[in-house]
Amino acid sequence: MNIDLTTLVKPNQTVAVALSGGSDSMALLHYMKSNAEKFPFTLIALNVEHGIRGQDSKLDTAFVKDFCDKANIPVLLYEVDCVKKAENEGLSLEQSARILRYECFYNAIESGKCDLVATAHHADDNTESVLFNLFRGTGMKGVSGIKQNFENKIIRPFLSIDKYEIEQYVKANNIPFVTDQTNFCDDYTRNFLRLNVIPKIKEVFPEANKSIRRFCEIAIDEDEFLDELAKSSLSIEKDAIKIPLPLHKALLSRAVIIALKELGLSKDWEKIHVDGIKELSLLNNGSKFSLPKGITAIKEYDAIVLYKEHLTDCTPKEFKIGENSFGNKILIAKVVDKNSVNLKDGFYLDADKIPSTAVIRTKQEGDLFTKFGGGTKSLGDYFTDKKIPLRNRASIPLIANGNEILYIFDVAISDNVKVDDTTSTIIKLYQK
């Protein structure tokens, strides 16, 4: 076998080989040890005892420890309970084992015990993974196969190597290993593919691994391109992300998933969440869909907006000249020189037309607004006319006297408090 480790490992890094004691991982340990001084890098091993096969599993761990001790290779030992996790979370044993195994890998990396974890995934594993995902029903990411995970510092030196080559390497170098009997039980879905399906495929298509790997490389490139297109369609604001409509169905799901991750739902979203958000594109303006972690999706005219709800204290407060604190905003009411003011450069009110009972508050049922130039309508209808998003309406500060709205901050002045020829004192209103 000839593997270019320089593309995977940097000089002087510490690499932990994920070592189960099986033939593949033992071959990887042997190969990495044979090349450790050449590059150079420091080699250690990492073993996870999954708690699945009782005493047999413990014996495998003992074999790994004994071998590493004799070979003078440091070994990190982890114990997890896959059965308990599977039962508590409704997972298969395979899913539970994988999740807990990778938690151990990341623990080793994050705690500084190693820089990289090397797994013994090979070309046959990749073929198995693609077929498994395909038969379960998957998208482009699922058929992209097993990848080098440089971002999370997981490397797979054998990924382009066939299982047959590894078996020959083990024989040629007299490498000891243990056999997991569950690998020969076709009750497990992946084992069924490994033992019954893939051998039959290879009888007809001997180069199946290479062909599927080429397909994966194409799928990876196209998947990344579609992700880039989906991300470029998003408008990202503070605590809100807008997905434009209409958006091609090949991009919409991707855009939704990217938006969820941007808002902090990298792990807590499910397919039902994505489907629920996509359905908003077919519903009326203002339709909402609730998500975990206080995130809401809303249909907003020609877009779907995902945003985080922020609750602030918006108790009505007396309006006064000067500085007004309201919620998380500072609202300034400043008297200006009548002779030098330019009424077109901001929002100005006639101070004498503001009743002493006026308060600063947010919208209420029954609010009315008289448009500049005349004409009174409900505040809700006025917001709709101005296409002010529903998600923003509840937090917009207002100057109100009863149900009469005198000023909508940063939006409009009521005709009832406008500056005219009789005005003696002018107030400029703005947010600090």
Side-chain angles (χ1 to χ4, degrees):
M1 295 188 297
N2 186 21
I3 301 165
D4 185 5
L5 291 177
T6 61
T7 63
L8 303 175
V9 184
K10 294 178 181 178
N12 302 316
Q13 285 187 315
T14 297
V15 181
V17 171
L19 192 63
S20 67
S23 61
D24 298 339
S25 64
M26 290 296 290
L28 179 60
L29 184 74
H30 183 279
Y31 188 88
M32 298 295 281
K33 188 175 188 298
S34 300
N35 288 275
E37 295 182 2
K38 187 191 305 182
F39 284 97
F41 57 86
T42 300
L43 182 70
I44 65 173
L46 185 158
N47 174 264
V48 180
E49 201 278 283
H50 293 87
I52 294 177
R53 296 181 294 111
Q55 188 62 28
D56 287 343
S57 182
K58 294 183 183 299
L59 289 174
D60 290 351
T61 292
F63 166 81
V64 165
K65 187 176 185 307
D66 181 64
F67 180 89
C68 290
D69 286 345
K70 291 177 179 177
N72 198 29
I73 299 173
V75 60
L76 307 175
L77 300 175
Y78 292 85
E79 289 186 21
V80 296
D81 191 339
C82 295
V83 176
K84 183 177 180 180
K85 183 177 181 66
E87 291 175 350
N88 291 344
E89 300 182 21
L91 303 172
S92 69
L93 277 177
E94 290 172 299
Q95 291 172 317
S96 174
R98 186 183 189 282
I99 292 169
L100 291 175
R101 183 164 61 251
Y102 277 83
E103 285 181 2
C104 296
F105 294 171
Y106 298 140
N107 173 270
I109 294 168
E110 292 166 6
S111 63
K113 296 180 176 69
C114 62
D115 299 299
L116 304 169
V117 171
T119 70
H121 289 101
H122 47 71
D124 289 66
D125 288 328
N126 182 65
T127 297
E128 174 189 311
S129 181
V130 171
L131 293 178
F132 178 75
N133 289 334
L134 185 63
F135 293 145
R136 284 196 313 167
T138 188
M140 191 72 79
K141 291 190 191 310
V143 293
S144 295
I146 302 172
K147 298 180 281 291
Q148 302 291 354
N149 195 343
F150 295 115
E151 181 179 352
N152 291 326
K153 301 181 180 179
I154 308 295
I155 61 171
R156 297 170 172 118
F158 282 175
L159 200 51
S160 63
I161 306 298
D162 286 352
K163 172 68 173 177
Y164 175 77
E165 293 181 72
I166 297 172
E167 291 173 339
Q168 294 300 109
Y169 182 83
V170 169
K171 290 179 182 178
N173 291 278
N174 296 313
I175 300 171
F177 62 90
V178 294
T179 300
D180 180 352
Q181 294 301 321
T182 60
N183 285 335
F184 300 101
C185 175
D186 63 9
D187 291 343
Y188 294 90
T189 309
R190 286 184 178 272
N191 284 351
F192 176 79
L193 291 173
R194 183 182 306 132
L195 301 174
N196 300 297
V197 177
I198 294 176
K200 294 294 184 183
I201 291 174
K202 286 186 174 182
E203 288 178 10
V204 182
F205 302 102
E207 297 293 305
N209 284 345
K210 292 181 180 178
S211 298
I212 288 178
R213 189 64 204 164
R214 285 196 299 271
F215 167 76
C216 290
E217 290 170 356
I218 295 169
I220 290 169
D221 289 342
E222 294 186 354
D223 183 55
E224 291 176 352
F225 176 69
L226 290 172
D227 272 351
E228 289 174 7
L229 278 182
K231 189 168 185 177
S232 67
S233 72
L234 303 178
S235 297
I236 300 178
E237 306 168 4
K238 182 181 180 181
D239 294 331
I241 298 178
K242 184 178 290 186
I243 303 171
L245 296 175
L247 191 64
H248 193 285
K249 60 184 180 181
L251 300 179
L252 184 55
S253 292
R254 292 170 182 271
V256 168
I257 293 169
I258 292 169
L260 290 174
K261 290 180 178 179
E262 288 283 343
L263 290 172
L265 278 181
S266 58
K267 296 180 180 178
D268 298 318
W269 65 270
E270 299 174 7
K271 186 177 185 296
I272 190 173
H273 298 138
V274 177
D275 291 342
I277 296 169
K278 287 167 61 180
E279 287 177 10
L280 289 178
S281 64
L282 306 175
L283 301 180
N284 295 330
N285 182 52
S287 299
K288 290 184 176 182
F289 185 78
S290 296
L291 297 149
K293 293 190 176 180
I295 296 174
T296 299
I298 185 169
K299 173 71 175 295
E300 200 169 274
Y301 303 104
D302 57 351
I304 295 172
V305 179
L306 283 76
Y307 64 99
K308 288 186 176 180
E309 299 273 12
H310 289 291
L311 300 178
T312 55
D313 180 14
C314 292
T315 304
K317 295 185 178 180
E318 177 187 358
F319 172 74
K320 64 180 184 292
I321 305 298
E323 187 173 288
N324 297 267
S325 176
F326 184 74
N328 59 358
K329 298 178 174 66
I330 302 295
L331 312 174
I332 306 297
K334 179 182 179 182
V335 176
V336 296
D337 185 354
K338 178 180 178 180
N339 298 316
S340 61
V341 68
N342 178 4
L343 297 178
K344 294 182 180 180
D345 72 354
F347 295 97
Y348 297 87
L349 279 68
D350 185 327
D352 298 321
K353 294 179 182 178
I354 302 175
S356 61
T357 53
V359 297
I360 300 177
R361 62 168 175 80
T362 52
K363 71 182 183 68
Q364 294 178 357
E365 192 71 29
D367 283 345
L368 298 172
F369 183 71
T370 302
K371 297 184 295 181
F372 201 80
T376 300
K377 60 171 52 184
S378 73
L379 181 62
D381 287 346
Y382 183 76
F383 280 156
T384 299
D385 291 345
K386 300 294 286 186
K387 292 193 173 182
I388 294 174
L390 285 170
R391 61 189 164 95
N392 295 336
R393 296 180 186 183
S395 62
I396 296 176
L398 311 167
I399 297 178
N401 186 47
N403 283 122
E404 180 188 5
I405 304 304
L406 307 176
Y407 175 56
I408 307 168
F409 267 82
D410 291 339
V411 178
I413 300 166
S414 168
D415 191 72
N416 296 332
V417 291
K418 70 180 180 182
V419 175
D420 55 28
D421 293 340
T422 66
T423 299
S424 59
T425 304
I426 299 176
I427 297 173
K428 181 176 183 180
L429 294 164
Y430 57 94
Q431 294 192 41
K432 186 175 180 180

